[in-house]
Amino acid sequence: KLRGSFAVLRVLWLLSVFGTVLPLDGGMLFPRESSSREVKELNGLWDFRADGSPNRNEGFEKAWYKRRLAETGPVIEMPVPASYNDITQDPTLRDFIGWVWYEREVFVPARWISDEGTRVILRVGSAHYYSIVWVNGEKVTEHEGGHLPFEAEISSLIRRDPTKPCRITIAVNNTLTLETLPPGTIQYMNDRTRYPDGFFVQNIYFDFFNYAGIHRPVLLYTTPKVYVDDIIVETNFMDDTGLVRYKVSVQGAATATLKVTLMDKDGHCVASSNTPSGVLKVVDVKLWWPYLMHENPGYLYSMEVRQHTSTYEDVYTLPVGIRTVNVTKTQFLVNNKPFYFHGVNKHEDSDIRGKGLDWALIVKDFNLIKWLGANSFRTSHYPYAEEILQMCDRHGIVVIDECPGVGIKDIRSFGNSSLSHHLVVMDELVRRDKNHPSVVMWSVANEPASEMTLIKHTKALDHTRPVTYITDSNYARDKGAPFVDVVCVNSYFSWYHDPGHLEVIPIQLNAQFENWYGKYKKPIIQSEYGADALPGLHMDPPMMFTEEYQNALLQSYHDVFDQKRKQYVIGELIWNFADFMTAQAIHRVVGNKKGIFTRQRQPKAAAFILRKRYWRLANETGRLPPWTKYPCSL
Ligand code: BDP
């Protein structure tokens, strides 16, 4: 049976008991320019101040948002988008916990203000973690959670006094609690013989630096008063005919005339309709295929949605990839053909900008992914920028889309309010990413302490894609696997367990797969494995932390993968694509060094091992077209 019909309900069981979630307002379509929409980016330098007062509350007590930030105290220049942590030489800002304040004055084009038929929306791509936004001193929105966008309509506010420049103030707080995703706790150290007055730390249970600030673009965009608010697309095909089931929601008018046109890459119309929902039929369909699985991967149609009333016209164009995703007991199918994940786990992480979106880095990473022969990645451990998913759509890189449910280890994080927030975040994630053909699976959490959970809550998430959560290798205490479609297992044999003993890998990895498959009869992805290696550190026979050890460990894993992928193992994702920053700890040498590339994106020896393997796998499993530039030197 084909997945992807509105009738099939995929049910996701989440961790815990109750929790009601209200449907989210608005569709959150990615802001795109069109003949009816304009976009103004507010990236660049903003004024900035961290609130260093003991309770971090001075900004609210003195209402910093009411005046220009520079009038209430000293400010520094801060780039947006970027994490603020590594920008200055000040260690207190690097490790700051609490409210920081950003401000920027913008000139709004006069026409946007004078034309009452234009809506002006302020959008923040993401800010970590809790954000409050004011425009000209008036609060316009607040949002909980990093990694996902939020927005507010500010049309009437900016029209109140058109002579004023528009002053945008954003306060962002990176404090994590037991209910946030990821969770964290603040611990005050009250022993005055050991700690200074007011000393506190933020405890986190995840292994990456808790970078903070405005991480993705901030922009203003317009739509007409009557506008396309959301589009939902689900695709399927039968023989040579593609089926694009769509639903358009329009806001601002009870009735509007719609014209939906699907165009191929050359701009030719292949199907059209004038109803708000329906199925477009595409003859001689060009399917969306993953990279290295087809000679023409990442094929995208454009769906132009044009709606008009007597006064307003709005045009929005959505890229559409036509493909199906299915899971059997032993296989992952894309367009009914077995797909083997040979890919990477990533982080949004780099020198200086931390988690800030950076186009040079994004394009470099895609070039490295393709060089490596990788066909997929997992957005460990949070949703990545939409701009990255759009690249995946275009290049055919398959994505396991993960929510920020990482480090859920404390029993107090399994209560109802944690659950409610988790569900809101999942809704926000699905709302944002539902139309990306590259996204083939949702991951609801990474290594939660699933033995603590009461699995009683059901929630319809999205019926078009399989669901997983990432578990560690201890199958005996697992409680989540019965409720997911694909079992994803992380394991670190001969690293965290039996360090230095590479010889245990074949037996332990083999047992891991047999146990999980034996118990659940579901396909398995090795969703993490790896070893730290300091680039340039060598030892033979191999010792931990050398490039040789990383190589040898990978190769031992690969031998077992090669046996099991003939049965039910459907993928392998190395931990990690690149070295990344973590909190300071005795087991971290300026960050996690399990990258096969350094943090500066230079290859370690392991990158070449993996490259050879991935191209070989692509040749074997991916139906590589004969003319594909296969690196002959491998
Ligand atoms: C895994 C975690 C990942 C860590 C990795 C490690 O999922 O976030 O970075 O261990 O310790 O269990 O390198």
Side-chain angles (χ1 to χ4, degrees), residues 207 381 446-447 490 492 496 528 575 580 588 592 594:
D207 183 36
H381 289 306
N446 178 70
E447 299 180 3
N490 298 344
Y492 287 92
Y496 293 123
E528 286 182 28
W575 190 263
F580 58 91
R588 293 287 174 256
N592 187 310
K594 293 194 186 69

Side-chain angles (χ1 to χ4, degrees), residues 205-208 347 378 380-381 402 406 409 446-447 470-472 490-492 495-496 527-528 530-532 575-576 580 582 587-588 592-594:
Y205 314 102
F206 53 86
D207 183 36
F208 53 91
H347 263 298
R378 161 177 164 229
S380 43
H381 289 306
E402 188 155 296
V406 56
K409 303 285 189 195
N446 178 70
E447 299 180 3
I470 316 292
T471 174
D472 63 23
N490 298 344
S491 54
Y492 287 92
W495 191 260
Y496 293 123
S527 41
E528 286 182 28
D532 289 75
W575 190 263
N576 188 283
F580 58 91
T582 63
H587 62 296
R588 293 287 174 256
N592 187 310
K593 296 283 191 266
K594 293 194 186 69

